[in-house]
Amino acid sequence: MLNPFPHLTPERHAMQGAAFPPTAPETGEARALTELIRERRLSAVFQPILDCRAHSTMGFEGLIRGPEGHPLHMPDALFGAARRHHLGLELEHACRETVLQAFAELRLPGKLFINASPACLLDPRFKNGETLAFLRRLGLPPSRVVIELTENQQITDFPEIQATLAHFRSLGYQIAIDDLGEGFSNLRMWSEIRPEYVKIDRHFITGIGQDDLKFQFVKAMQDLAETCTAHIIAEGIESAADLQTVRDLGIACGQGYFIARPVPAPATCPRQEVLDVLCSRRVAVFPQAMATSSITTARTLLHYIEPIDPRADNDLVFERFESETQLEVLPVVQEGMPVGLINRHTLIDRFARPFRRELYGKKPCSMFMDPAPLIVDENATVQELGLILSRAARHYLFDGFIVTSAGRYMGVGSGHDLMALITEMQISAARYANPLTQLPGNVPINEHIDRLLKAGVRFAACYADLDNFKPFNDVYGYRRGDDVIQLLGQILVEVADGRLDFVGHIGGDDFLILFQSNDWEVRCARALKLFDERVLPIFTAEDLQRGGLVGENRRGEEVLHPLPALSIGALLADSNQYESHHEIATAAADAKKQAKKQRGSSLFIERRRSHFLPLVGLEALSPALSCPA
């Protein structure tokens, strides 16, 4: 990838005539680089760019190498030397011709992505028609060339670069921006330049299938690209899991070592391993967001209120409250440091008494302020804030708190906003992740079912539920009940294949596993076996000996309840039978009810609506584990 050269100045843009500036220092490295450029001892390599939708190669990125075995063979060394010796534009010019000529000679199909720094685009040798004439001699139309604008060099004059790119677009070139997400300025580049292609930095793609934060970043970029009709190219695809996640996100194109490495003469068609991933009917299990409350801080609740000096008189404070009707508190700050807080109702109540305003109106406001307000740092978490507020005096709930950064005033937060945020976060957490097991909750479960149906994937929806769990809770208490629920969640995660199977926690002792694994029945059988084994240490010796729990029924009579067991109702599903997660949920719950009719841990498979055979036959299981309808 061509590196930009931030040291280049407008004077160098105007440089014409001599191939090399007379000021280039004559060091050994400089002479070596000059010789490589003058003698065209550079070679091109090409990395295919995959069209994830058409399952074909849509183009190639042209990259450059120095001579094999030379100290300047690799791009980092080559362009590092050019930057040190002010030969950046000369090197880019040589690289451009080398890549274009090799692309034409190899007769590669599709588009050619060729790197260019902003300084290079403004170079007269790029704008004077020399490159266009070179393309004509090679028989390459500009419409097959995508100018890949590197982001590392900061653009300070957007109108100039916009005018330059408009010129290139008028000739037929298309524009791409590189390494989206690597720096802060490239989002502005996207907005200002409106490229046809946007490359997402490899940092956000490599390992995306296991990293929720990367996943959310890329999903946001994809949503933005759809809004402005740009094509996303995901760089850094290094595994089948990366490619599958990129494919299922709907990203148009991909590039990376898993697809193909840069070579002098690349293959023009994707290799079979890549096509297998693209053609797979399996749906990627997206990483799930955990509760975010731990990283939500006081800064989120901050509202800036212009503070008042402690030497200001009370009349001025009163006037502020009268003119700013939404103002409930007024922070008192001296030289940037908070020293107090004045409550609207407290001050007005004091002034409402006879002659109080006349007596105290001209006195400093510090006499009526709370000299010990609640002060928190901007990095205090919401949980910490809630705990502090719950332990503080009641008036702090109404007054709120002052937010500081390194002890200096930043703004004010209200107790009302804090309570609203905590409530909202608790509701959101319950919908997206069960707080007991941290497994995905109802919203992610429903979203994954709908994705499976939309993709036309055959899958098994298995509803897992505990039998006789209420009597166990009554006898052993809710804490041991939570232990059993967590145990079940761990077992289901253990038996599932995290790359293919989705484990969700509906609530209480109800779980749903969406299997894409071929051997899903064997995995269910293993879950039943593991539960029966691992739950035993939780029971007392007496309960194990008698084979049940002694409790009372509704009439107060002593009865013996069976020990808790695991029931799994399995539903074989595809989009030919079901249209939404609502139908899947209802049918899976019905299958679970049938499983619970059997004594002990059991698996019931609903086959009446199945139009396809299970991928692993029941002969692999004990007959007691399945009950065909």
Side-chain angles (χ1 to χ4, degrees), residues 425-474:
M425 289 168 63
Q426 288 174 335
I427 294 173
S428 177
R431 295 175 68 211
Y432 284 89
N434 188 282
L436 182 60
T437 61
Q438 290 300 300
L439 289 172
N442 292 329
V443 170
I445 291 172
N446 294 339
E447 289 175 349
H448 193 73
I449 292 174
D450 288 338
R451 288 180 57 233
L452 290 168
L453 293 174
K454 183 178 179 181
V457 175
R458 293 177 174 181
F459 63 100
C462 297
Y463 196 132
D465 184 24
L466 293 175
D467 301 336
N468 308 305
F469 185 64
K470 186 181 182 306
F472 174 85
N473 251 354
D474 292 341

Side-chain angles (χ1 to χ4, degrees), residues 356-510:
R356 286 297 182 95
R357 185 164 185 181
E358 290 78 3
L359 288 171
Y360 299 112
K362 299 304 180 184
K363 300 288 186 182
C365 65
S366 57
M367 70 181 301
F368 287 154
M369 74 179 186
D370 177 359
L374 195 58
I375 300 176
V376 298
D377 185 80
E378 62 173 330
N379 295 314
T381 66
V382 166
Q383 295 98 321
E384 292 169 340
L385 267 176
L387 189 61
I388 292 170
L389 211 56
S390 67
R391 293 176 176 176
R394 290 184 61 187
H395 73 273
Y396 288 116
L397 186 62
F398 304 102
D399 289 353
F401 45 90
I402 294 175
V403 182
T404 61
S405 176
R408 300 187 66 82
Y409 172 76
M410 288 189 68
V412 173
S414 77
H416 178 273
D417 289 347
L418 174 62
M419 294 301 106
L421 178 60
I422 289 175
T423 302
E424 180 183 340
M425 289 168 63
Q426 288 174 335
I427 294 173
S428 177
R431 295 175 68 211
Y432 284 89
N434 188 282
L436 182 60
T437 61
Q438 290 300 300
L439 289 172
N442 292 329
V443 170
I445 291 172
N446 294 339
E447 289 175 349
H448 193 73
I449 292 174
D450 288 338
R451 288 180 57 233
L452 290 168
L453 293 174
K454 183 178 179 181
V457 175
R458 293 177 174 181
F459 63 100
C462 297
Y463 196 132
D465 184 24
L466 293 175
D467 301 336
N468 308 305
F469 185 64
K470 186 181 182 306
F472 174 85
N473 251 354
D474 292 341
V475 173
Y476 283 83
Y478 74 92
R479 179 58 262 177
R480 300 310 298 273
D482 286 350
D483 291 341
V484 174
I485 292 174
Q486 289 176 320
L487 172 66
L488 176 55
Q490 293 164 4
I491 290 172
L492 297 179
V493 170
E494 181 180 336
V495 302
D497 183 338
R499 300 166 299 175
L500 300 173
D501 308 326
F502 183 102
V503 181
H505 189 173
I506 299 169
D509 58 324
D510 296 327

Side-chain angles (χ1 to χ4, degrees), residues 198-246:
V198 176
K199 285 191 166 186
I200 300 178
D201 182 61
R202 60 181 296 109
H203 166 79
F204 295 97
I205 299 300
T206 303
I208 185 176
Q210 294 79 42
D211 191 315
D212 175 65
L213 190 58
K214 290 182 179 181
F215 175 82
Q216 296 299 335
F217 268 121
V218 174
K219 187 174 184 296
M221 293 175 193
Q222 170 67 1
D223 292 342
L224 186 58
E226 291 178 351
T227 302
C228 57
T229 65
H231 297 288
I232 287 287
I233 300 175
E235 293 187 293
I237 296 176
E238 297 191 352
S239 68
D242 292 344
L243 179 57
Q244 188 177 17
T245 303
V246 164

Side-chain angles (χ1 to χ4, degrees), residues 254-272:
Q255 182 179 352
Y257 284 176
F258 178 75
I259 296 168
R261 290 176 176 268
V263 292
T268 57
C269 296
R271 57 196 180 90
Q272 189 58 48

Side-chain angles (χ1 to χ4, degrees), residues 99-105 107-108 110 112 131-145 173:
V99 168
L100 288 170
Q101 184 166 346
F103 185 78
E105 290 176 352
R107 300 182 181 275
L108 293 175
L112 170 63
T131 301
L132 192 60
F134 188 63
L135 283 173
R136 290 197 185 103
R137 292 197 298 273
L138 295 173
L140 286 176
S143 59
R144 291 189 61 195
V145 178
Y173 297 98

Side-chain angles (χ1 to χ4, degrees), residues 116-137:
S117 67
C120 178
L121 293 180
L122 299 172
D123 179 14
R125 286 172 293 177
F126 205 174
K127 298 175 67 175
N128 63 6
E130 181 181 328
T131 301
L132 192 60
F134 188 63
L135 283 173
R136 290 197 185 103
R137 292 197 298 273

Side-chain angles (χ1 to χ4, degrees), residues 120-399:
C120 178
L121 293 180
L122 299 172
D123 179 14
R125 286 172 293 177
F126 205 174
K127 298 175 67 175
N128 63 6
E130 181 181 328
T131 301
L132 192 60
F134 188 63
L135 283 173
R136 290 197 185 103
R137 292 197 298 273
L138 295 173
L140 286 176
S143 59
R144 291 189 61 195
V145 178
V146 181
I147 300 172
E148 188 171 321
L149 191 60
T150 53
E151 188 272 337
N152 301 22
Q153 183 182 28
Q154 186 175 4
I155 298 175
T156 56
D157 190 345
F158 274 101
E160 182 182 19
I161 199 70
Q162 285 173 330
T164 299
L165 293 178
H167 165 71
F168 288 126
R169 280 185 167 120
S170 70
L171 299 175
Y173 297 98
Q174 290 183 306
I175 308 299
I177 61 172
D178 191 23
D179 295 337
L180 181 68
E182 186 181 60
F184 293 104
S185 61
N186 51 14
L187 283 176
R188 183 181 176 186
M189 282 179 63
W190 191 349
S191 173
E192 298 278 2
I193 293 172
R194 304 296 173 93
E196 285 78 19
Y197 297 92
V198 176
K199 285 191 166 186
I200 300 178
D201 182 61
R202 60 181 296 109
H203 166 79
F204 295 97
I205 299 300
T206 303
I208 185 176
Q210 294 79 42
D211 191 315
D212 175 65
L213 190 58
K214 290 182 179 181
F215 175 82
Q216 296 299 335
F217 268 121
V218 174
K219 187 174 184 296
M221 293 175 193
Q222 170 67 1
D223 292 342
L224 186 58
E226 291 178 351
T227 302
C228 57
T229 65
H231 297 288
I232 287 287
I233 300 175
E235 293 187 293
I237 296 176
E238 297 191 352
S239 68
D242 292 344
L243 179 57
Q244 188 177 17
T245 303
V246 164
R247 179 202 70 173
D248 288 358
L249 269 172
I251 292 175
C253 305
Q255 182 179 352
Y257 284 176
F258 178 75
I259 296 168
R261 290 176 176 268
V263 292
T268 57
C269 296
R271 57 196 180 90
Q272 189 58 48
E273 190 177 359
V274 172
L275 292 175
D276 288 344
V277 175
L278 294 178
C279 297
S280 170
R281 295 291 299 275
R282 288 170 172 167
V283 172
V285 178
F286 289 159
Q288 298 299 320
M290 293 296 102
T292 58
S293 58
S294 59
I295 58 173
T296 305
T297 65
R299 190 180 182 89
T300 307
L301 299 163
L302 182 148
H303 298 283
Y304 181 77
I305 297 175
E306 184 66 34
I308 196 163
D309 189 274
R311 293 164 294 188
D313 60 44
N314 288 312
D315 279 340
L316 182 59
V317 175
F318 188 82
E319 290 168 8
R320 284 280 303 273
F321 281 131
E322 278 198 319
S323 61
E324 301 175 44
T325 56
Q326 300 301 316
L327 201 62
E328 294 293 332
V329 293
L330 189 60
V332 183
V333 176
Q334 186 172 26
E335 298 180 355
M337 310 298 286
V339 295
L341 199 66
I342 302 174
N343 181 286
R344 161 193 285 274
H345 303 290
T346 301
L347 181 76
I348 292 176
D349 182 61
R350 289 176 184 272
F351 272 25
R353 300 173 188 177
F355 309 112
R356 286 297 182 95
R357 185 164 185 181
E358 290 78 3
L359 288 171
Y360 299 112
K362 299 304 180 184
K363 300 288 186 182
C365 65
S366 57
M367 70 181 301
F368 287 154
M369 74 179 186
D370 177 359
L374 195 58
I375 300 176
V376 298
D377 185 80
E378 62 173 330
N379 295 314
T381 66
V382 166
Q383 295 98 321
E384 292 169 340
L385 267 176
L387 189 61
I388 292 170
L389 211 56
S390 67
R391 293 176 176 176
R394 290 184 61 187
H395 73 273
Y396 288 116
L397 186 62
F398 304 102
D399 289 353

